[in-house]
Amino acid sequence: MPRSARTPRAARLAGATAVALAAALALTACGSSGSETAGPAKVVQQKTDSPYEGTVLGKHFDKPDLQLTDTSGQPYDLRQKTGGRTTLLFFGYTSCPDVCPTTMGDIGVAMKKLTPEERQKVDVVFVSTDPQRDTPQVLRAWLDSMGSDFIGLTGDLAKVKTAAKALGILIEDPVTNPDGTVTSTHGAQVLAFLPSDDKAHVLYLSGTEVKTFEHDLPLLARGVAA
Amino acid sequence: MKGTLGFRRTALAGAVLATALGGGAFLVACGAGGQDGGGASAGGAARLSVADSYIPMPPAGGMAAGYLTVRNEGGEDDELVRVSSPGASSVTMHRSTASTMEQVEKLDVPAHGALQLARGGTHLMIMGWQKAPVLGDELELDLTFTRTGTISVKVPVKELTYRPGQQ
């Protein structure tokens, strides 16, 4: 089915699906607040009594059961390694020029503002949606530009897609363009899992400002309830 | 270290200009563009200027994005149809959507309006750097518009997380 993504129309459709998905997610998030409804702007708003600036999720996704390879080439079990720890999860690929480095870079900036104690409690995990090109070495070199302690995972794309799907994140097979570049379709939201229950409680849509991450990361590090 | 000469010279010239103008990509662009002249009679013609141009220092791999704003103070629409650079083998225009990005062939610069290339939206994708970019470098971008012709700008390489209007 992902083969069809090669045609522009299918790509556009996929984009539309993603928009719909993002909207659906935002709606899910809104469900938690259950407060007075209003225009579309309100839909993405977080629970008004939440200490977080990110979008507070109404549905608390489980941390995916995902076994891949980390940047040192070792097997990495996401649930096992990050269990009981604050975890930020993002799916993307290293030959992505715009959204991926922007998002990961902004998280890197916010992470550097934490105290060493806080930082030590947070795992930032980047899962590749283009594992064929994103080898452990490639991932490490790329992530080091944003955070030398960022965790990079790569491996079986089918597993990655399944894990992402369970989180409401759409991923398609990477497409090689006529000029040799690769485009990967991937939901670009960041999910934050709290240490208390290892479930996702806060969502950061693509385009989230760095000051939002700076505001929320200390809270996430301390495991403050959303 | 051979093939770097062309880039170096460009970078140097850019540095001098940037220093002289105090980081005003806007003014650099103006000078290079030489608008007002351009197309038809002064009144209605597109009058373009480029502002806030920057390239975030690309993470390892050299896949970079370029961002800038093209203002049009004239009364005619224009469109950006091609971008090239003497310092990079490929510069293409792309638009990020919620979950992917697509290449675009042209971008409108509306009369009395602006074309904004910004993070998470429309951006330039820059590949094949002659010399791996470092902070403070400047890359010449030649922006070709249907009506106005080509405007050359020297675009500074900034920190990965730089945003215009901040240090």
Side-chain angles (χ1 to χ4, degrees), chain A residues 176-223:
Chain A
T176 304
N177 304 305
D179 65 358
T181 59
V182 171
T183 303
S184 159
T185 295
H186 61 97
Q189 60 268 50
V190 176
L191 282 174
F193 297 81
L194 286 177
S196 49
D197 59 1
D198 287 328
K199 286 177 190 286
H201 288 261
V202 192
L203 168 81
Y204 301 92
L205 291 168
S206 165
T208 294
E209 288 187 64
V210 66
K211 64 177 200 275
T212 300
F213 286 118
E214 286 171 356
H215 175 273
D216 282 7
L217 268 179
L219 302 172
L220 290 167
R222 294 203 299 275

Coordinates of all heavy atoms in Angstrom, one line a residue, chain A residues 176-223:
Chain A
T176 N 12.0 7.4 -2.4 CA 13.2 8.0 -3.0 C 12.7 8.9 -4.2 O 12.1 8.5 -5.1 CB 14.1 6.9 -3.5 OG1 14.5 6.1 -2.4 CG2 15.4 7.5 -4.1
N177 N 13.1 10.2 -4.1 CA 12.7 11.1 -5.2 C 13.6 11.0 -6.4 O 14.7 10.4 -6.3 CB 12.8 12.5 -4.6 CG 12.0 12.7 -3.4 OD1 10.8 12.4 -3.4 ND2 12.6 13.1 -2.3
P178 N 13.2 11.5 -7.5 CA 14.0 11.4 -8.8 C 15.4 12.0 -8.6 O 16.3 11.5 -9.2 CB 13.2 12.3 -9.8 CG 11.8 12.3 -9.3 CD 11.9 12.2 -7.8
D179 N 15.6 12.9 -7.7 CA 16.9 13.5 -7.5 C 17.8 12.7 -6.5 O 18.9 13.1 -6.1 CB 16.9 15.0 -7.2 CG 16.2 15.2 -5.8 OD1 15.8 14.2 -5.2 OD2 16.1 16.3 -5.4
G180 N 17.2 11.6 -6.1 CA 18.0 10.7 -5.2 C 17.8 11.0 -3.7 O 18.2 10.3 -2.8
T181 N 17.1 12.1 -3.4 CA 16.8 12.4 -2.0 C 15.7 11.5 -1.5 O 15.0 10.9 -2.3 CB 16.4 13.9 -1.8 OG1 15.2 14.1 -2.6 CG2 17.5 14.8 -2.2
V182 N 15.5 11.5 -0.2 CA 14.5 10.6 0.3 C 13.5 11.4 1.1 O 13.9 12.4 1.9 CB 15.2 9.6 1.3 CG1 14.1 8.8 2.1 CG2 16.0 8.6 0.5
T183 N 12.3 11.2 1.0 CA 11.2 11.8 1.8 C 10.5 10.8 2.6 O 10.0 9.8 2.0 CB 10.2 12.6 0.9 OG1 11.0 13.5 0.1 CG2 9.3 13.4 1.7
S184 N 10.4 11.0 3.9 CA 9.7 10.1 4.7 C 8.5 10.8 5.3 O 8.6 12.0 5.6 CB 10.6 9.7 5.9 OG 9.8 9.2 7.0
T185 N 7.4 10.1 5.2 CA 6.2 10.7 5.8 C 6.0 10.2 7.2 O 6.0 9.0 7.5 CB 4.9 10.2 5.0 OG1 5.1 10.8 3.7 CG2 3.6 10.7 5.6
H186 N 6.0 11.1 8.1 CA 5.9 10.7 9.6 C 5.2 11.8 10.4 O 5.5 13.0 10.2 CB 7.4 10.5 10.1 CG 8.2 11.7 10.1 ND1 8.4 12.6 11.1 CD2 8.9 12.3 9.1 CE1 9.2 13.6 10.8 NE2 9.5 13.4 9.5
G187 N 4.3 11.4 11.2 CA 3.7 12.4 12.1 C 4.9 13.0 12.9 O 5.7 12.3 13.4
A188 N 4.8 14.3 13.1 CA 6.0 15.0 13.6 C 5.7 15.5 15.1 O 6.4 16.4 15.6 CB 6.4 16.2 12.8
Q189 N 4.8 14.9 15.7 CA 4.5 15.3 17.1 C 5.5 14.6 18.1 O 6.0 13.6 17.8 CB 3.0 15.1 17.5 CG 2.6 13.7 17.4 CD 2.0 13.3 16.1 OE1 2.5 13.5 15.1 NE2 0.8 12.7 16.1
V190 N 5.7 15.3 19.2 CA 6.5 14.7 20.3 C 5.6 14.3 21.4 O 4.7 15.0 21.8 CB 7.5 15.8 20.8 CG1 8.3 15.2 22.0 CG2 8.4 16.3 19.8
L191 N 5.7 13.0 21.9 CA 4.9 12.6 23.0 C 5.8 12.5 24.2 O 6.9 12.1 24.2 CB 4.4 11.2 22.7 CG 3.2 11.1 21.7 CD1 2.9 9.7 21.4 CD2 2.0 11.8 22.3
A192 N 5.2 13.0 25.3 CA 5.9 13.0 26.6 C 5.3 12.0 27.5 O 4.1 12.0 27.8 CB 5.9 14.4 27.2
F193 N 6.1 11.0 28.0 CA 5.6 9.9 28.9 C 6.1 10.3 30.3 O 7.2 10.7 30.5 CB 6.2 8.6 28.5 CG 5.7 8.1 27.1 CD1 6.3 8.6 26.0 CD2 4.7 7.2 27.0 CE1 5.9 8.2 24.7 CE2 4.3 6.8 25.8 CZ 4.9 7.2 24.6
L194 N 5.2 10.2 31.2 CA 5.5 10.5 32.6 C 6.1 9.3 33.3 O 5.8 8.1 33.0 CB 4.3 11.0 33.4 CG 3.8 12.4 33.0 CD1 2.6 12.8 33.7 CD2 4.9 13.4 33.3
P195 N 7.0 9.5 34.3 CA 7.6 8.4 35.0 C 6.7 7.6 35.9 O 6.9 6.4 36.2 CB 8.7 9.0 35.8 CG 8.3 10.5 36.0 CD 7.5 10.8 34.7
S196 N 5.6 8.2 36.3 CA 4.7 7.6 37.3 C 4.0 6.4 36.7 O 3.9 5.4 37.4 CB 3.6 8.7 37.7 OG 3.1 9.3 36.5
D197 N 3.6 6.4 35.4 CA 2.8 5.3 34.9 C 3.3 4.9 33.5 O 2.7 4.0 32.8 CB 1.3 5.6 34.8 CG 1.0 6.9 33.9 OD1 2.0 7.4 33.4 OD2 -0.1 7.2 33.8
D198 N 4.4 5.5 33.0 CA 5.0 5.2 31.7 C 4.0 5.4 30.6 O 4.0 4.7 29.6 CB 5.6 3.8 31.6 CG 6.9 3.7 32.4 OD1 7.6 4.7 32.4 OD2 7.1 2.6 33.0
K199 N 3.0 6.3 30.8 CA 2.1 6.6 29.7 C 2.3 8.0 29.2 O 2.8 8.9 29.9 CB 0.6 6.4 30.3 CG 0.2 5.0 30.5 CD -1.1 4.9 31.1 CE -1.5 3.5 31.6 NZ -1.9 2.6 30.5
A200 N 1.8 8.2 27.9 CA 1.9 9.5 27.3 C 0.8 10.4 27.9 O -0.3 10.1 27.9 CB 1.8 9.4 25.8
H201 N 1.2 11.6 28.4 CA 0.3 12.5 29.0 C 0.3 13.9 28.3 O -0.7 14.6 28.3 CB 0.6 12.8 30.4 CG 0.3 11.6 31.3 ND1 -0.9 11.6 32.1 CD2 0.9 10.4 31.5 CE1 -0.9 10.4 32.7 NE2 0.2 9.7 32.4
V202 N 1.4 14.2 27.6 CA 1.5 15.5 27.0 C 2.0 15.4 25.5 O 2.8 14.5 25.3 CB 2.4 16.5 27.8 CG1 2.2 17.9 27.2 CG2 2.1 16.5 29.2
L203 N 1.4 16.2 24.7 CA 1.7 16.1 23.2 C 2.2 17.5 22.8 O 1.7 18.5 23.2 CB 0.4 15.8 22.5 CG 0.4 15.9 21.0 CD1 1.1 14.7 20.3 CD2 -1.0 16.1 20.4
Y204 N 3.3 17.5 21.9 CA 3.8 18.7 21.4 C 3.7 18.6 19.9 O 4.4 17.8 19.3 CB 5.2 19.0 21.8 CG 5.3 19.0 23.3 CD1 5.6 17.9 24.1 CD2 5.0 20.2 24.0 CE1 5.6 17.9 25.5 CE2 5.0 20.3 25.4 CZ 5.3 19.2 26.1 OH 5.3 19.2 27.5
L205 N 2.8 19.4 19.3 CA 2.7 19.3 17.8 C 3.9 20.0 17.1 O 4.6 20.8 17.8 CB 1.4 20.0 17.4 CG 0.1 19.3 17.8 CD1 -1.1 20.3 17.6 CD2 -0.1 18.1 17.0
S206 N 4.1 19.6 15.9 CA 5.2 20.2 15.1 C 4.9 21.7 15.1 O 3.8 22.2 15.0 CB 5.1 19.7 13.7 OG 5.8 20.5 12.8
G207 N 6.0 22.5 15.3 CA 5.8 24.0 15.4 C 5.7 24.5 16.8 O 5.6 25.7 17.0
T208 N 5.8 23.6 17.8 CA 5.8 24.0 19.2 C 7.0 24.9 19.4 O 8.1 24.6 19.0 CB 5.9 22.8 20.1 OG1 4.7 22.0 19.9 CG2 6.0 23.2 21.5
E209 N 6.8 26.0 20.1 CA 7.9 27.0 20.3 C 8.8 26.4 21.4 O 8.4 25.7 22.3 CB 7.3 28.3 20.8 CG 6.6 29.1 19.7 CD 6.3 30.5 20.1 OE1 7.2 31.3 20.4 OE2 5.1 30.7 20.2
V210 N 10.1 26.8 21.3 CA 11.1 26.4 22.2 C 10.7 26.7 23.7 O 11.0 26.0 24.6 CB 12.5 26.8 21.8 CG1 12.6 28.3 22.0 CG2 13.6 26.1 22.7
K211 N 10.1 27.9 23.8 CA 9.7 28.3 25.2 C 8.7 27.4 25.9 O 8.7 27.3 27.1 CB 9.3 29.8 25.3 CG 8.1 30.2 24.5 CD 7.8 31.7 24.8 CE 6.4 32.1 24.5 NZ 6.1 32.4 23.2
T212 N 7.9 26.7 25.0 CA 7.0 25.8 25.6 C 7.7 24.6 26.1 O 7.5 24.1 27.2 CB 6.0 25.3 24.5 OG1 5.3 26.4 24.0 CG2 5.0 24.3 25.0
F213 N 8.7 24.1 25.4 CA 9.6 23.0 25.9 C 10.3 23.4 27.2 O 10.5 22.7 28.1 CB 10.6 22.5 24.8 CG 9.9 21.7 23.7 CD1 10.0 22.2 22.4 CD2 9.3 20.5 24.0 CE1 9.4 21.5 21.4 CE2 8.7 19.8 22.9 CZ 8.8 20.3 21.6
E214 N 10.8 24.7 27.1 CA 11.5 25.2 28.3 C 10.7 25.2 29.5 O 11.1 25.0 30.7 CB 12.1 26.6 28.0 CG 13.3 26.5 27.1 CD 13.8 27.9 26.6 OE1 13.1 28.9 26.9 OE2 14.8 27.9 25.8
H215 N 9.4 25.6 29.3 CA 8.4 25.6 30.4 C 8.1 24.3 31.0 O 8.0 24.0 32.2 CB 7.2 26.4 30.0 CG 6.1 26.4 31.0 ND1 5.2 25.4 31.1 CD2 5.8 27.3 31.9 CE1 4.4 25.7 32.1 NE2 4.7 26.8 32.6
D216 N 7.9 23.3 30.0 CA 7.4 22.0 30.4 C 8.4 21.0 30.9 O 8.1 20.1 31.7 CB 6.6 21.4 29.3 CG 5.2 22.0 29.2 OD1 4.9 23.0 29.9 OD2 4.4 21.5 28.3
L217 N 9.6 21.1 30.4 CA 10.6 20.1 30.7 C 10.9 19.9 32.2 O 11.0 18.8 32.7 CB 11.9 20.3 29.9 CG 11.9 19.5 28.5 CD1 13.2 19.8 27.8 CD2 11.8 18.0 28.7
P218 N 11.1 21.0 32.9 CA 11.3 20.8 34.3 C 10.1 20.1 35.0 O 10.3 19.3 35.9 CB 11.4 22.2 34.9 CG 11.8 23.1 33.7 CD 11.1 22.4 32.5
L219 N 8.9 20.4 34.6 CA 7.7 19.7 35.2 C 7.8 18.2 34.8 O 7.5 17.3 35.6 CB 6.4 20.3 34.6 CG 6.2 21.8 34.9 CD1 5.0 22.3 34.1 CD2 6.1 22.1 36.3
L220 N 8.1 17.9 33.5 CA 8.1 16.5 33.1 C 9.2 15.8 33.9 O 9.0 14.7 34.3 CB 8.4 16.5 31.6 CG 7.3 16.9 30.7 CD1 7.8 17.1 29.2 CD2 6.1 15.9 30.7
A221 N 10.4 16.5 34.0 CA 11.5 15.8 34.7 C 11.1 15.4 36.2 O 11.5 14.4 36.7 CB 12.7 16.8 34.8
R222 N 10.3 16.3 36.8 CA 9.9 16.0 38.1 C 8.7 15.1 38.2 O 8.2 14.7 39.3 CB 9.5 17.3 38.9 CG 10.7 18.3 39.1 CD 10.5 19.2 40.2 NE 9.3 20.1 40.0 CZ 9.4 21.3 39.3 NH1 10.5 21.7 38.8 NH2 8.3 22.0 39.2
G223 N 8.1 14.8 37.0 CA 7.0 13.9 37.0 C 5.7 14.5 37.4 O 4.8 13.8 37.9

